Amino acid sequence: MSKLSVKEESGCRRLLTMLPKDDLLALKDTVTNRLIAVESAEEAVQAIITYSQDAEELLKRKKVHRDVIFKYLANEGVAMPPNAQKYNLVRRTLELWSSEENTTQVQPVQNWGPQRFWQDVRLRLLLHAGEQRVEEFNGAELVSRRLHALVGEERLLFCPNLEGLGLKCVSSPHGFVLVAVAGTIHRDSVWLGIFEQAFGLIRSPLDSNRWKIKFVNVKVEAQSAITDRHLPVITYDSNELLSLCN
């Protein structure tokens, strides 16, 4: 019988509901050796959980496809490189489930809002979707609202490419830290395009010396506008990043 922890069982249940019904039923037959009959997807999920030896065994099953685990992690707020192999996704999922038991002891994360920005912060959005469009916003309140709308109202999921050439960080002699990250954009299970984002941070001596965002530059290319089919990478060099401070 199943040796899944409470957290693993809850996570497996959410993940299994993402499988197509044919794959779900085939997986149920494999796990139960065709000895358990079910009449619904819910019963199939329960049978799979009950008769799986452990979470790792279940995740490694052929019918639990790589793309399903990737989407599950994205839904849980865990961004993985788009080219991540299945074994890496399985490992990260197991880490997530084992760490969830300790999340209640972590200090609460400060809510998103204008307090994360300098009052004179600026945001520049460069959008390529057949034609080019530029949006610019100034001030902590407007910038905070626009960025929040991207992931809230527009339901966009930004998945950074944290391997290879998808991340760059430099610092200026004046205390600026410049970070650039590239990745893919999704809405639900649909890949929409790629992005490249650069932002600058500097400490605020009036707010417990916390890091706050001074500017944000975001370039977005819709899938239809992409000509280079390589994985998203940073196009800024270090000098170009530092010039954004000016």
Side-chain angles (χ1 to χ4, degrees):
M1 290 297 182
S2 173
K3 298 179 182 178
L4 276 64
S5 70
V6 174
K7 298 295 184 181
E8 289 173 338
E9 180 174 333
S10 175
C12 285
R13 195 178 298 277
R14 293 196 298 272
L15 188 148
L16 290 172
T17 59
M18 300 171 64
L19 292 178
K21 189 172 182 179
D22 289 346
D23 286 347
L24 184 66
L25 294 176
L27 178 60
K28 183 273 300 179
D29 286 342
T30 300
V31 172
T32 67
N33 201 24
R34 298 180 181 272
L35 296 177
I36 302 296
V38 299
E39 297 182 355
S40 66
E42 291 77 13
E43 290 182 1
V45 168
Q46 186 58 52
I48 292 168
I49 289 175
T50 300
Y51 288 92
S52 291
Q53 292 299 311
D54 55 53
E56 184 174 4
E57 177 204 55
L58 176 54
L59 291 173
K60 288 182 175 179
R61 296 283 189 182
K62 289 184 179 180
K63 289 299 182 180
V64 183
H65 300 295
R66 172 205 171 278
D67 290 350
V68 172
I69 303 177
F70 181 89
K71 292 172 186 175
Y72 167 79
L73 287 171
N75 289 343
E76 296 297 311
V78 179
M80 293 291 288
N83 62 336
Q85 298 296 313
K86 181 178 177 179
Y87 71 89
N88 285 325
L89 298 173
V90 169
R91 176 179 54 79
R92 185 66 186 90
T93 303
L94 293 172
E95 289 174 355
L96 173 67
W97 291 342
S98 63
S99 65
E100 280 182 352
E101 297 179 0
N102 299 319
T103 55
T104 56
Q105 301 175 11
V106 176
Q107 292 182 352
V109 178
Q110 187 180 24
N111 290 332
W112 177 263
Q115 71 275 6
R116 294 192 178 273
F117 302 88
W118 287 82
Q119 285 303 311
D120 59 350
V121 63
R122 68 182 188 275
L123 166 65
R124 189 171 189 267
L125 284 173
L126 180 60
L127 310 170
H128 291 277
E131 60 182 26
Q132 183 173 304
R133 188 172 90 248
V134 178
E135 297 181 9
E136 294 188 351
F137 301 86
N138 293 284
E141 189 66 39
L142 285 178
V143 170
S144 172
R145 288 182 182 178
R146 184 64 185 99
L147 290 174
H148 187 272
L150 288 175
V151 297
E153 298 169 16
E154 300 178 36
R155 305 192 343 270
L156 299 181
L157 176 66
F158 291 79
C159 293
N161 172 22
L162 299 180
E163 296 183 356
L165 302 177
L167 181 65
K168 183 187 287 288
C169 181
V170 296
S171 57
S172 79
H174 308 294
F176 253 112
V177 171
L178 293 305
V179 180
V181 62
T184 56
I185 305 175
H186 307 260
R187 179 181 289 121
D188 299 326
S189 61
V190 179
W191 172 56
L192 300 180
I194 61 176
F195 75 94
E196 183 179 12
Q197 178 177 359
F199 56 96
L201 303 103
I202 192 168
R203 291 185 183 276
S204 172
L206 300 180
D207 190 11
S208 302
N209 218 28
R210 289 189 178 94
W211 290 100
K212 289 191 174 186
I213 300 173
K214 188 73 169 178
F215 71 83
V216 186
N217 285 8
V218 185
K219 294 188 288 188
V220 173
E221 289 187 68
Q223 181 181 356
S224 58
I226 299 173
T227 56
D228 185 352
R229 294 294 173 179
H230 292 91
L231 287 174
V233 297
I234 298 300
T235 60
Y236 292 100
D237 62 30
S238 296
N239 289 331
E240 287 174 324
L241 277 177
L242 289 172
S243 70
L244 296 176
C245 300
N246 302 324

